[in-house]
Amino acid sequence: MTRQILFLSIVVFAAPLLAQEEKAAPLEVANSNAKTEAEMKAYTELLEHSDGKIDMVPIKGGKFLMGSPATEKGRKADEGPQHEVQIDPFWMAKCELTWDAYEVWMADLDVFKREVTGVPANARDKAADKYQKTQPTKPYTDMSFGMGKRQYPAICMTQHSARIFCKWLSAKTSRYYRLPTEAEWEYACRAGTTTAYSFGDDPAKLDDYAWYMDNSEEKYQKVGTKKPNPWGLHDMHGNVAEWVLDQHTTDFYGKVTGKPAVNPLAVPLTEYNRVVRGGSWDGDAASLRSAARNASNLDWKQQDPQIPQSIWYLTDALGVGFRVVRPLVEPTAAEEKEKWDKSEPPQIDRIKKPE
């Protein structure tokens, strides 16, 4: 019999992507450069050596009232107290990340294409390799669960997986990408509105803007097929819920300091629970509200047959995906370490391979 041996690899989020002076030249993409908020334009990020792409929309900075009022129908206690927040400008993906883009990383599609066509790896490819070739490990089953791939949202990834995708994307393009904070996500979802949804308070209008339990036919749908919110973002309500960076706590809103609070983040210090936003194809109308929050839990891995269970996949999170953001001002390596990349405990991948 073939013996099995155990390999360990540790991914430490605190490590900076690359020293500033060592970064490769960015992939040339039209309208992707801006030094000021006024210069920001929509652009399409390209995943080199593949057909993958991500449409990015500029989001101007500003202030908003985060959370829901006590009078909002369907409100839960963890949505308050409301507090004023200041958000710096950033770009946000127009739609949820699709399998078309996610599998370039997840399945090494760009690497295979380079090898088949004989194209040598450039500096960006080499920088991205450490976030790609051995991670994530191969899933034990089709993680789309037969609901569709092309132009459908990628699902069933852990927050760890989504974070590493962002690190890979940052190296692959030499532009800094990450998950949004919970505050950035709600700011973008509301798009200047103060109502329960970005289109008003009436859930009867959800059919025009969202895929959810009343119209989804019990599966997710192609991204961007419903109306966008006022800032041009699709599927902020429904289709799949979206990972943000924050730890989920019931009292964080009450602890936020500053008037307004500037770019707040509840740095995750335990694996569970972490926040997903926006509601999903199997959620009710109340779970799709702009202020609605949901917390990850261990049950999202309940059907994972592997021992130990995967740090990359969530077999029971068929309604969870993500979208990326890119801040106008790229953080320093120290800021990445202390805030944006900070996540505990370190995730250890136990990979069983034949000798």
Side-chain angles (χ1 to χ4, degrees), residues 170-205:
S170 298
K172 189 74 176 169
T173 63
S174 277
R175 280 181 281 275
Y176 177 75
Y177 289 93
R178 58 170 170 79
L179 294 179
T181 65
E182 190 172 11
E184 287 170 336
W185 191 96
E186 185 173 327
Y187 175 70
C189 179
R190 289 188 177 279
T193 67
T194 58
T195 48
Y197 307 94
S198 63
F199 52 81
D201 287 316
D202 187 0
K205 297 180 181 179

Side-chain angles (χ1 to χ4, degrees), residues 63-69 75 78-87 181-187 190 193-194 244 246 252-253 256 261 263-266 275 277 290-293:
K63 298 177 184 178
F64 81 112
L65 197 60
M66 185 174 182
S68 61
R75 181 187 191 268
D78 66 351
E79 297 171 24
Q82 286 187 296
H83 53 285
E84 189 178 37
V85 173
Q86 172 73 47
I87 297 295
T181 65
E182 190 172 11
E184 287 170 336
W185 191 96
E186 185 173 327
Y187 175 70
R190 289 188 177 279
T193 67
T194 58
V244 295
D246 298 59
F252 178 68
Y253 285 17
V256 173
N263 303 315
L265 169 65
V275 182
R277 284 296 208 115
S290 298
R293 311 171 73 207

Side-chain angles (χ1 to χ4, degrees), residues 10-29:
I10 300 177
V11 178
V12 180
F13 286 117
L17 175 64
L18 287 171
Q20 193 70 28
E21 65 273 15
E22 296 174 351
K23 286 186 65 174
L27 177 66
E28 292 187 12
V29 170

Side-chain angles (χ1 to χ4, degrees), residues 27 29-34 39-47 52-60 89-98 101 165-166 169-170 173 175-180 184 188 223 229 231-234 236 242 322-328:
L27 177 66
V29 170
N31 298 322
S32 63
N33 297 323
E39 295 175 346
M40 294 173 69
K41 297 179 180 179
Y43 69 94
T44 299
E45 186 59 271
L46 305 177
L47 305 187
K53 60 183 181 180
I54 305 171
D55 292 329
M56 303 296 295
V57 176
I59 307 295
K60 293 183 178 181
F90 60 96
W91 286 271
M92 187 176 221
K94 182 178 181 179
C95 297
E96 295 150 339
L97 193 80
T98 63
F165 174 88
C166 291
L169 181 62
S170 298
T173 63
R175 280 181 281 275
Y176 177 75
Y177 289 93
R178 58 170 170 79
L179 294 179
E184 287 170 336
V223 302
N229 75 1
W231 289 351
L233 301 170
H234 293 265
M236 295 296 282
E242 301 171 15
F322 70 101
R323 73 179 76 208
V324 300
V325 299
R326 177 190 166 205
L328 172 62

Side-chain angles (χ1 to χ4, degrees), residues 260-275:
V262 179
N263 303 315
L265 169 65
V267 173
L269 301 178
T270 60
E271 186 174 357
Y272 298 101
N273 302 328
R274 301 190 182 189
V275 182

Side-chain angles (χ1 to χ4, degrees), residues 96-118:
E96 295 150 339
L97 193 80
T98 63
W99 287 111
D100 310 63
Y102 192 63
E103 288 195 321
V104 177
W105 168 72
M106 176 181 165
D108 294 338
L109 298 184
D110 61 321
V111 176
F112 294 144
K113 185 172 182 179
R114 285 201 327 257
E115 292 174 349
V116 168
T117 58

